[in-house]
Amino acid sequence: MLVIKGLTKYFAKNTPHEILAINNFNLRVKKGDFITIIGSNGAGKSTLLDLIAGTLQADQGEIRLDGEVITSQPEYRRARWIGRVFQNPLLGTAPYMSIEENLVLSLKRERKGLRIALNKKIREYLREELSELGIGLENDLTKKVGLLSGGQRQAMTILMATMFKPKVLLLDEHTAALDPESSKKILKITQELVEERKGDLITLMVTHNMKQALEVGNRTIMMDRGCNILDIEGEEREKVDIDYLLKQFSKLRQQEYIEDRLVLG
Amino acid sequence: MPITLLLHGLEQGLIFGIMVLGVFITYKILDFPDLTVDGSFPLGAAVAAKVIFTGGNPLWGTFLALIAGFLAGMITALLHTKLKLTNLLSGILTMTLLYSVNLRIMDKPNIPLLGKVTLLEQIQNYFPNISLNYLIPFFFLFLIIILKLVLDLFFSTEIGLAIIATGDNEQMIRSLGTNTDMTKLIGLCLSNALVALSGAFFAQYSGFADVNMGLGTIVAGLASVIIGISIIRIPTIFWRTIAVVVGSLIYRLILIIALRYGYKLGFEPGDLKLISVLLVIIALSIPLIKSRIDFLTSFSLGRKDLQNKNHPGEEV
């Protein structure tokens, strides 16, 4: 269970450029939930994921994971439970290291020791996991990751984010930077890997694709100015279509427009 | 070229090779241009010389030098990770403070070790039949092979791989559960320990420690690393640790030749630093010049394959 209470985050706090990125945000996520998050640019989607992962520290509020408060834990400590895939396929892997070195680094999330990292048994295990991805890298374990395509690197990142059995999986528009074919494949791999862990994994996926937002997962939230303005699941979600979401978006725009007019006259 | 000149090049190349292994760890693996080495090299020399000069055990002095270098690296790491100073500034500050520390350790700017029993003479007592001229290069060759193998092993452990990843993609390795403050600390401590060890041996080899002997260590280290890596181009740790030591040998040989025969071209001993920097600049620009030439000749030869050349992952 992931519980977020009163989460608030400012950027450039106490300066004339202060921005309220996350505004008293609340969310309860059950084990097994796969939430898609939509919202316009600057709505706070990525900031929310950064706060959960610990890349950014919250100004107020609380994040609890299975009862434990993780709000002020450093990022590397939360990584024991949280797997993450970034929008940029280059961010999730180390280019000058080999495929097997990248994978083995993600396998053990606790304090790393003076054991030799790779041996025959671990290589065999990594090869098996890779072959299940179906991208044909299992025979190139010593190849440098920098030589792979964006799609292959993103597939590796997803494997690295799920292989260690995390409690939470954070996907930040992880198919957006890929071509349509790779994008489809990556989404399929994501769904398969999440399906494998059905019931005990929490997944949060940010997307700009409305169709994807409704088709993937079991719950959808819409964010605007750091708030959670729509939260639908189950039957209610099935009734909703893309048009409805688009209308919600244009309603928000309208409101912004009116507010701007009030201010600017 | 006289054989003694070659031997001197070999000896110095190997002794400075220990320092170059240290610079390799920070500059190439951690991607951290660490200027601390200009202070930790004479620190190692100062500590070892002081112990030997006051009649202590040379082995103990050499070991203390290693520890001192380790601590020097720690200061730089803490300035960078805890106080968030940039990597260059952290190194400069530690380097500068070490100048005073070294003077304090030595009590004077220079300690002569002539007539004192150094580690090298102790070793010769075990091998009375071998001339010191051959024993020294063999000893340092043996030492550097051991150090190289230990480093290779270390960088295949979990921590070692995490240190490599810190230099390659810091955000990634943090999101994979590694405290990158820690990996940087370990890398910097290890690096400066090697540099100080190199300084300790150089003091015993040359028979003195001087507070100014560290000037330009970083340039020599960078030159060696870059020369070595552009000659031996296999991007694995095993070959890289060989490459940088080979780079150190070549660099020392060039310097010795420049010192010995440079006067014929009008060089003076004071021009040595200029020559080292020119070496660094040339070595650094070789890849760029080479790709330019490849690109230009590809048109005259009409080779399409070279015009669209793109080798990700080749330049490490």
Side-chain angles (χ1 to χ4, degrees):
Chain A
M1 179 87 107
L2 175 71
V3 183
I4 299 173
K5 246 192 251 166
L7 199 65
T8 302
K9 174 71 186 173
Y10 291 92
F11 286 125
K13 201 176 179 185
N14 299 330
T15 71
H17 305 289
E18 180 177 289
I19 294 167
L20 180 55
I22 298 290
N23 182 7
N24 195 15
F25 187 91
N26 297 299
L27 189 69
R28 287 176 81 86
V29 195
K30 292 190 305 291
K31 271 210 161 108
D33 265 355
F34 188 152
I35 300 186
T36 54
I37 304 174
I38 50 176
S40 53
N41 290 325
K45 310 179 297 291
S46 297
T47 308
L48 178 66
L49 295 201
D50 279 346
L51 288 171
I52 296 173
T55 315
L56 296 173
Q57 295 285 338
D59 290 318
Q60 281 164 39
E62 189 182 83
I63 305 169
R64 260 173 204 274
L65 182 59
D66 286 348
E68 189 175 347
V69 180
I70 60 167
T71 326
S72 52
Q73 279 186 5
E75 182 177 14
Y76 69 87
R77 205 169 292 261
R78 299 188 209 183
R80 280 179 284 175
W81 311 296
I82 299 177
R84 200 160 182 213
V85 185
F86 305 92
Q87 176 178 7
N88 183 346
L90 308 184
L91 278 185
T93 43
Y96 294 126
M97 300 180 78
S98 66
I99 294 175
E100 56 182 11
E101 286 168 342
N102 269 277
L103 292 176
V104 80
L105 279 172
S106 82
L107 203 54
K108 192 179 165 199
R109 300 279 175 136
E110 288 98 30
R111 189 177 288 273
K112 294 184 170 64
L114 275 174
R115 260 175 305 262
I116 300 295
L118 284 157
N119 58 38
K120 213 175 156 196
K121 210 174 125 198
I122 292 178
R123 280 200 178 91
E124 206 44 57
Y125 175 73
L126 296 177
R127 186 169 294 139
E128 244 170 61
E129 292 279 324
L130 257 182
S131 66
E132 278 173 32
L133 281 187
I135 50 171
L137 292 177
E138 54 274 17
N139 297 321
D140 289 323
L141 281 182
T142 53
K143 203 170 171 180
K144 297 270 182 249
V145 168
L147 298 165
L148 305 182
S149 72
Q152 285 173 318
R153 283 179 76 166
Q154 202 67 327
M156 263 186 67
T157 313
I158 297 174
L159 182 62
M160 285 161 66
T162 51
M163 201 166 50
F164 70 106
K165 312 276 180 258
K167 292 179 178 178
V168 180
L169 176 62
L170 302 175
L171 308 167
D172 191 355
E173 286 187 63
H174 68 305
T175 62
L178 304 172
D179 64 72
E181 201 52 46
S182 310
S183 164
K184 216 185 278 173
K185 186 147 195 181
I186 292 298
L187 193 64
K188 195 170 148 261
I189 290 173
T190 312
Q191 284 174 300
E192 282 168 3
L193 286 173
V194 172
E195 193 66 25
E196 257 178 53
R197 296 280 313 282
K198 201 177 170 66
D200 69 341
L201 176 69
I202 287 169
T203 310
L204 299 182
M205 179 171 102
V206 170
T207 177
H208 274 300
N209 184 334
M210 301 290 152
K211 191 161 158 269
Q212 212 178 66
L214 291 174
E215 279 173 1
V216 181
N218 65 334
R219 185 173 163 191
T220 299
I221 66 176
M222 187 190 256
M223 286 184 70
D224 183 57
R225 296 183 211 185
C227 293
N228 184 355
I229 57 160
L230 181 80
D231 188 343
I232 47 174
E233 63 181 318
E235 275 178 33
E236 188 190 359
R237 182 169 181 259
E238 268 158 38
K239 275 183 252 163
V240 167
D241 57 4
I242 297 173
D243 277 345
Y244 175 80
L245 289 181
L246 286 175
K247 250 180 231 152
Q248 293 287 322
F249 266 112
S250 54
K251 227 195 271 173
L252 288 173
R253 295 265 157 71
Q254 198 73 31
Q255 204 179 332
E256 250 167 61
Y257 175 70
I258 292 167
E259 279 175 19
D260 282 351
R261 277 193 52 176
L262 281 174
V263 174
L264 302 171
Chain B
M1 191 166 32
I3 186 85
T4 48
L5 213 59
L6 213 62
L7 269 179
H8 280 256
L10 182 65
E11 286 161 6
Q12 291 186 18
L14 290 171
I15 295 173
F16 283 104
I18 303 172
M19 174 274 286
V20 172
L21 282 174
V23 171
F24 166 71
I25 293 174
T26 45
Y27 177 67
K28 267 295 164 186
I29 292 186
L30 267 183
D31 197 17
F32 188 116
D34 179 27
L35 300 186
T36 317
V37 294
D38 271 32
S40 51
F41 185 82
L43 173 68
V47 170
K50 177 79 177 187
V51 170
I52 294 167
F53 188 74
T54 51
N57 184 346
L59 186 66
W60 173 237
T62 311
F63 177 72
L64 274 185
L66 187 89
I67 301 295
F70 190 89
L71 295 175
M74 192 178 284
I75 296 175
T76 305
L78 293 177
L79 287 178
H80 176 61
T81 57
K82 296 297 168 210
L83 299 182
K84 310 286 176 206
L85 305 185
T86 60
N87 46 22
L88 281 175
L89 186 59
S90 310
I92 290 171
L93 291 176
T94 313
M95 171 189 89
T96 309
L97 79 84
L98 283 177
Y99 186 86
S100 300
V101 171
N102 294 342
L103 267 177
R104 278 278 181 169
I105 291 172
M106 298 203 292
D107 278 335
K108 49 190 172 185
N110 192 299
I111 295 183
L113 291 177
L114 291 173
K116 302 282 173 191
V117 178
T118 66
L119 195 59
L120 299 173
E121 274 136 16
Q122 281 190 336
I123 290 164
Q124 208 204 356
N125 291 340
Y126 288 99
F127 305 96
N129 301 327
I130 308 172
S131 135
L132 206 59
N133 275 345
Y134 293 102
L135 189 63
I136 291 176
F138 269 113
F139 168 68
F140 283 115
L141 187 64
F142 176 72
L143 181 70
I144 212 154
I145 290 175
I146 299 284
L147 288 173
K148 173 228 170 342
L149 291 176
V150 170
L151 282 185
D152 290 350
L153 199 65
F154 176 69
F155 282 111
S156 67
T157 62
E158 292 166 359
I159 291 183
L161 278 186
I163 292 174
I164 299 175
T166 306
D168 200 357
N169 189 341
E170 193 179 340
Q171 169 59 46
M172 162 199 130
I173 191 66
R174 220 182 298 126
S175 74
L176 296 185
T178 294
N179 182 355
T180 51
D181 287 358
M182 201 45 133
T183 49
K184 284 178 186 172
L185 183 94
I186 297 170
L188 281 164
C189 289
L190 191 60
S191 163
N192 282 289
L194 287 171
V195 174
L197 183 66
S198 172
F201 277 122
F202 187 70
Q204 298 178 60
Y205 167 79
S206 57
F208 71 96
D210 189 284
V211 73
N212 289 317
M213 73 197 293
L215 201 67
T217 305
I218 184 68
V219 175
L222 287 183
S224 308
V225 166
I226 294 158
I227 292 172
I229 279 178
S230 51
I231 290 174
I232 300 176
R233 306 183 66 101
I234 308 170
T236 59
I237 293 290
F238 180 85
W239 283 102
R240 289 256 142 127
T241 45
I242 293 177
V244 297
V245 173
V246 170
S248 173
L249 291 171
I250 294 172
Y251 176 78
R252 287 297 150 187
L253 214 55
I254 295 176
L255 279 199
I256 281 182
I257 291 170
L259 264 181
R260 181 79 165 73
Y261 299 108
Y263 71 91
K264 291 183 179 164
L265 297 170
F267 285 129
E268 289 174 17
D271 297 337
L272 215 57
K273 298 272 180 238
L274 177 70
I275 297 173
S276 344
V277 170
L278 287 179
L279 274 178
V280 174
I281 294 174
I282 293 169
L284 272 177
S285 53
I286 283 173
L288 185 75
I289 294 168
K290 197 168 164 292
S291 72
R292 277 273 143 202
I293 293 172
D294 280 356
F295 182 72
L296 291 174
T297 51
S298 68
F299 284 103
S300 58
L301 298 172
R303 285 180 59 182
K304 275 269 174 341
D305 57 328
L306 281 175
Q307 287 168 24
N308 298 323
K309 193 157 103 168
N310 182 19
H311 288 303
E314 191 193 67
E315 269 315 308
V316 179

